[in-house]
Amino acid sequence: MTSSNAASRPENRWRHDPALPLLANDEPPPYNVFNPDGASPYLLLCEHASNRIPRALGDLGLPEAERRRHIAWDIGVSALSLHLSRTLDAPLFMTNYSRLVIDCNRPLGVPSAIPETSETTEIPGNLGLTEAEKAQRIETLFTPYAEAIARRLDLLQQHGKRPIVVGIHSFTPVYFGKQRPWHAGILYGAATEFGRTLIRELRTEAGLTIGDNEPYTIHPDEDYTVPVHADARGLPGALIEVRHDLIDTLSGVGAWGDRLTRCFKAALKELD
């Protein structure tokens, strides 16, 4: 640790020596796979499933209230992803650590991959990181997840299959003080037909406001899942964004899980 790095933080208890393992033997692995032999062509990815922080990094200098906010994870998506994995019979790859440690849906090297500030909240444990500290987070958490997905896609394509890549996300109802009008949004890049089919199916239900590349857009400088795992391979791919106050209860998860299952199955018929 250099003196300049030490001076960049008010305290150093969140620093971790990268010569030591980032994860202890009794901590969860970087990711889990559910329903690995699922027969569906859908491959579900949940990059922001958890707000867990490796013990070696303490609490990143954040109080519990901040770690439970949307800045640390996508609220409701773990349960929603598991619901969809079951109803679609689809494999699901789910991360086990907070996007504040490293965001598995960001290209490496961009500021939001290991954010020093999320929305208006400073992340003390991410300030002044050395290249070795950043590299350890990449090698321990990001790379195993990304490479596991790539291997699965390679295997499926080698067997003549055409998987459909879907990331499951949620968004906060209010962002920088502005109310968002959407109940859900479909984000897509090259796979316009697939994305618009999902939007059309969701819009058949009265009372729903569905975003078309809203509340976000897919961009290779800010996204990893769709540009790398789908568009670069010529595969259909999209991110599903559901407003998190709609899926923060079991009943909400069930309702949106069933709704999305219907839409995914309808879209699959059109892709066939």
Side-chain angles (χ1 to χ4, degrees):
M1 185 190 308
T2 66
S3 58
S4 60
N5 280 333
S8 68
R9 302 187 188 196
E11 297 182 62
N12 293 313
R13 65 177 180 272
W14 311 292
R15 296 306 280 263
H16 174 66
D17 183 351
L20 302 174
L22 181 60
L23 299 180
N25 290 336
D26 63 342
E27 290 184 281
Y31 66 93
N32 283 331
V33 183
F34 299 90
N35 195 13
D37 299 321
S40 173
Y42 284 110
L43 182 67
L44 305 180
L45 309 180
C46 192
E47 307 95 330
H48 302 153
S50 176
N51 63 350
R52 182 188 301 273
I53 298 170
R55 283 201 302 270
L57 301 179
D59 54 16
L60 290 179
L62 296 171
E64 182 180 1
E66 292 288 350
R67 301 195 308 273
R68 294 177 65 86
R69 285 183 57 219
H70 194 80
I71 62 171
W73 59 338
D74 278 5
I75 295 167
V77 294
S78 175
L80 181 62
S81 298
L82 289 167
H83 183 110
L84 291 169
S85 177
R86 176 179 56 80
T87 56
L88 294 170
D89 191 23
L92 165 63
F93 286 68
M94 182 183 291
T95 62
N96 283 328
Y97 291 89
S98 173
R99 63 179 169 198
L100 294 179
V101 180
I102 189 163
D103 193 324
C104 288
N105 188 37
R106 295 289 182 271
L108 297 177
V110 301
S112 56
I114 304 177
E116 294 189 352
T117 301
S118 185
E119 296 183 20
T120 60
T121 300
E122 185 177 82
I123 317 301
N126 288 349
L127 300 178
L129 295 181
T130 66
E131 290 305 310
E133 287 172 308
K134 295 176 183 178
Q136 184 179 52
R137 295 192 192 187
I138 293 168
E139 293 165 6
T140 303
L141 301 176
F142 182 98
T143 300
Y145 181 69
E147 290 186 348
I149 295 163
R151 287 193 301 270
R152 176 59 62 95
L153 291 169
D154 287 343
L155 183 63
L156 291 169
Q157 291 186 282
Q158 288 165 10
H159 284 81
K161 298 181 179 179
R162 191 168 185 247
I164 306 166
V165 179
V166 176
I168 311 298
H169 292 251
S170 69
F171 64 95
T172 180
V174 179
Y175 189 62
F176 283 103
K178 186 175 180 179
Q179 192 77 32
R180 288 163 152 175
W182 309 281
H183 296 91
I186 305 297
L187 317 185
Y188 56 91
T192 55
E193 180 182 356
F194 175 57
R196 289 171 182 169
T197 297
L198 290 174
I199 292 167
R200 186 190 69 234
E201 289 296 325
L202 280 168
R203 285 178 175 172
T204 62
E205 297 193 33
L208 291 182
T209 300
I210 305 300
D212 183 338
N213 271 325
E214 295 282 1
Y216 310 106
T217 59
I218 297 293
H219 194 283
D221 291 341
E222 283 296 323
D223 293 272
Y224 190 90
T225 292
V226 168
V228 174
H229 293 312
D231 290 354
R233 292 173 177 263
L235 298 174
L239 296 187
I240 310 301
E241 291 273 0
V242 181
R243 207 176 70 206
H244 75 61
D245 61 316
L246 302 176
I247 54 171
D248 61 0
T249 63
L250 289 178
S251 61
V253 166
W256 274 92
D258 291 344
R259 176 177 291 121
L260 290 171
T261 297
R262 177 188 64 77
C263 294
F264 283 136
K265 288 182 176 179
L268 189 57
K269 291 178 182 178
E270 297 209 11
L271 287 173
D272 291 342

